[in-house]
Amino acid sequence: MRIAIIGAYGLIGSYVSARLAADGHVVVGVGRDIDAARRRFPALEWKRADLAKATVADWATVLADIEVVINCAGVLQDSPRDDLKAVHVEGVRRLAKACEGIGVRRLVHISAAGVEPGRGTAFNATKLEAETLLAQSPLEWIILRPGLVFAPAAYGGTALLRGLAGFPGASPVVFGESLVQTIGAEDLAVAVARCLAPDAPTRVSLDLVHGEALTLIDLVGRLRGWLGLRPVRTIRVPLVLARATAAASDALAWLGWRSPMRTAALEQLRMGVRGRTEDAARLGWAPRSFDALLAAAPSGVQERWFARAYFVKPAILTCLFAFWLLSGLIGLTVGLKDAIAVLTASGMDARLAAGAVIGGSLVDIALALLLIWRPTAARALQGMLLVTVGYLLAGALVRPDLWLDPMGPLLKSIPAAFLALAALAMLDER
């Protein structure tokens, strides 16, 4: 069977793609950023299309030879990069209309458990609206509503939970008593595969959750045990601090950073994630428990590294931003005369020295500003490494005595360079 998976490189989409390809289907991955996806999943055929923008005619072209469409695309919150209404509602509307027009009969749509009237977030409202419009479609639609998806790969909420589990000395949790029902990403992929059978139930909406409802405190504790870390006490994060963190994450989204700690995620945690446990039986199958999922995927050192480094990464980036920004600002203001004096003491012309200090300070500030803009962060980190090497070489030529200075102005640049190298190594988000 020739199957198109929209969002095939996302957390859910990648597991669905792997499962269906292993089952012998021809999988066509569809998404808006597919260059890296082609490298990660070379066995798939890839086509470029943006669910938020693609027209009915666009979809008719992309899906011309497709038998089944699986929509795994979704966003958590509005941002410059993401538009909830465009992706969850208008995009699904155009996709369904295109399927109707070209004869694609079956559409499997991934929604979310707990989507219902009265849950006051834009995420829930748009997901519910998409389900409502699909219910009016003549297609053989199947809506799957997974609970909290846990995957061997770490991304989004799964990554955040691991970071909380690996936090040193304590486990910080907000809304710790909220109840969550889970499903494994591989189990969800099995459910999607069962939706392809000729006798699969259609025109139905199915919750996919295991029957055990865990508190967030219990969930994080079990993850910590899975990581092989010793138990620690739980710290209940004050709501005001959690909301401030979420607001800061919302602001960072406008700079291209897609943190899972945004306002929408916080609200989803408050409401919990619950679903109907009996629905999975309609597919002749049952999801595994959270403990069974953990037992089936033993953790290794890479999981512990990731969990411990999860909150280290933003700390490193913040430190580098502050270091380079303050270095540049100090060089242009209170430290200008002293910096010029350092160069003129070696015999350099005063005007040349002033130009070098001012130019270097402006470069420092530029690198700091490039770092906070996600699309240019990698280039900024590479620039920091190159500029540091340049500073060290220039220092060795102009003022070699500074290598022995007790304050270590040259020596201290080396750890900063390695900090940038570490940030560059950890910069990938998926």
Side-chain angles (χ1 to χ4, degrees):
M1 191 177 292
R2 191 168 174 84
I3 302 168
I5 301 179
I6 302 169
Y9 50 75
L11 180 69
I12 293 173
S14 60
Y15 282 91
V16 172
S17 299
R19 172 71 194 208
L20 298 187
D23 287 347
H25 297 289
V26 177
V27 178
V28 178
V30 183
R32 58 183 176 182
D33 300 320
I34 61 173
D35 294 333
R38 284 196 176 105
R39 295 191 294 271
R40 291 176 59 210
F41 307 105
L44 272 61
E45 179 183 338
W46 288 95
K47 294 186 178 182
R48 194 182 306 274
D50 186 344
L51 185 59
K53 299 176 181 178
T55 65
V56 174
D58 293 334
W59 284 121
T61 300
V62 171
L63 305 176
D65 53 354
I66 295 298
E67 299 171 74
V68 176
V69 172
I70 301 169
N71 179 28
C72 298
V75 297
L76 178 65
Q77 186 170 322
D78 286 328
S79 72
R81 181 179 171 86
D82 299 315
D83 185 325
L84 283 167
K85 187 81 172 180
V87 173
H88 290 172
V89 182
E90 299 306 324
V92 173
R93 188 193 310 278
R94 293 189 294 267
L95 175 65
K97 188 174 181 179
C99 289
E100 295 168 21
I102 62 175
V104 175
R105 296 304 306 162
R106 188 162 298 185
L107 171 61
V108 181
H109 175 71
I110 307 298
S111 185
V115 170
E116 58 188 28
R119 290 171 71 97
T121 66
F123 173 83
N124 282 283
T126 53
K127 281 288 190 182
L128 182 61
E129 191 172 349
E131 292 186 13
T132 301
L133 71 87
L134 282 178
Q136 300 167 356
S137 168
L139 295 172
E140 294 178 357
W141 53 265
I142 305 171
I143 297 172
L144 300 181
R145 296 155 47 105
L148 179 66
V149 178
F150 180 77
Y155 177 67
T158 300
L160 174 59
L161 289 171
R162 295 187 191 197
L164 294 172
F167 202 82
S171 291
V173 176
V174 63
F175 300 124
E177 303 304 325
S178 291
L179 293 174
V180 173
Q181 289 174 276
T182 62
I183 182 172
E186 292 167 330
D187 287 358
L188 177 54
V190 170
V192 172
R194 287 175 177 259
C195 290
L196 305 181
D199 60 347
T202 59
R203 303 185 63 80
V204 294
S205 178
L206 304 175
D207 287 354
L208 298 179
V209 295
H210 185 265
E212 183 181 26
L214 303 173
T215 66
L216 286 174
I217 290 176
D218 193 18
L219 192 76
V220 171
R222 295 189 191 192
L223 271 175
R224 188 172 179 89
W226 172 72
L227 289 169
L229 303 178
R230 294 181 180 180
V232 292
R233 64 191 180 96
T234 298
I235 296 179
R236 298 177 185 271
V237 178
L239 186 55
V240 63
L241 177 58
R243 285 177 173 163
T245 301
S249 297
D250 290 348
L252 286 173
W254 294 91
L255 294 172
W257 299 93
R258 303 174 72 182
S259 169
M261 297 185 289
R262 288 178 282 172
T263 301
L266 186 65
E267 186 62 13
Q268 291 295 120
L269 287 178
R270 184 190 68 80
M271 294 185 293
V273 181
R274 305 294 301 276
R276 299 182 300 268
T277 59
E278 65 274 12
D279 285 6
R282 298 195 62 180
L283 295 173
W285 153 91
R288 291 172 291 173
S289 69
F290 188 64
D291 285 341
L293 294 174
L294 297 180
S299 69
V301 67
Q302 64 270 26
E303 282 80 22
R304 287 190 290 277
W305 280 5
F306 179 88
R308 286 169 169 158
Y310 185 79
F311 291 104
V312 173
K313 173 182 169 180
I316 289 176
L317 292 170
T318 302
C319 180
L320 286 170
F321 168 73
F323 173 77
W324 287 84
L325 180 64
L326 292 175
S327 176
L329 291 176
I330 290 171
L332 291 176
T333 56
V334 295
L336 179 61
K337 291 183 178 179
D338 289 339
I340 293 173
V342 169
L343 297 179
T344 55
S346 66
M348 183 181 291
D349 178 77
R351 290 184 179 180
L352 181 59
V357 172
I358 293 172
S361 297
L362 291 174
V363 168
D364 291 354
I365 294 171
L367 288 173
L369 296 178
L370 288 172
L371 180 63
I372 62 172
W373 175 239
R374 180 62 183 87
T376 57
R379 295 295 186 188
L381 292 168
Q382 293 166 355
M384 289 174 182
L385 289 169
L386 292 174
V387 169
T388 300
V389 171
Y391 285 160
L392 293 175
L393 291 176
L397 293 173
V398 177
R399 289 291 305 270
D401 58 297
L402 292 179
W403 284 102
L404 301 177
D405 189 293
M407 299 302 291
L410 294 182
L411 288 175
K412 289 177 180 176
S413 296
I414 298 176
F418 276 95
L419 203 61
L421 189 62
L424 192 59
M426 296 190 293
L427 197 59
D428 288 349
E429 295 175 341
R430 67 169 78 191

